[in-house]
Amino acid sequence: CTNEIGQLQPCLAYVEGQVTAPSSDCCKGLLSVHTNRPVCLCILMSSSTSVNSSTATLLPSICKVDTDP
């Protein structure tokens, strides 16, 4: 999931609570990862300690990406 981590890098500030809304690049990256390697979303959520899981689970609805939690 190395490439996918790079695609989700723009989301980091949002899921760490540094900004109040995800950027459009974050949403584009989320859509791409969800479409191409959705398992990486689960792996990233379970392996990162700096990610606020509550905020991260809101990301798909904010970005209008239909995911299955």
Side-chain angles (χ1 to χ4, degrees):
C1 294
T2 303
N3 291 335
E4 289 74 16
I5 291 171
Q7 290 178 315
L8 294 173
Q9 190 69 29
C11 300
L12 197 54
Y14 175 72
V15 297
E16 288 182 340
Q18 298 172 11
V19 297
T20 58
S23 66
S24 63
D25 286 340
C26 168
C27 291
K28 288 176 191 173
L30 178 64
L31 178 60
S32 177
V33 172
H34 172 66
T35 301
N36 298 310
R37 297 225 23 227
V39 69
C40 292
L41 295 174
C42 295
I43 292 169
L44 291 171
M45 282 287 294
S46 65
S47 66
S48 179
T49 57
S50 64
V51 170
N52 179 323
S53 60
S54 297
T55 304
T57 55
L58 295 175
L59 197 54
S61 64
I62 293 170
C63 290
K64 297 178 179 35
V65 175
D66 187 23
T67 62
D68 181 8

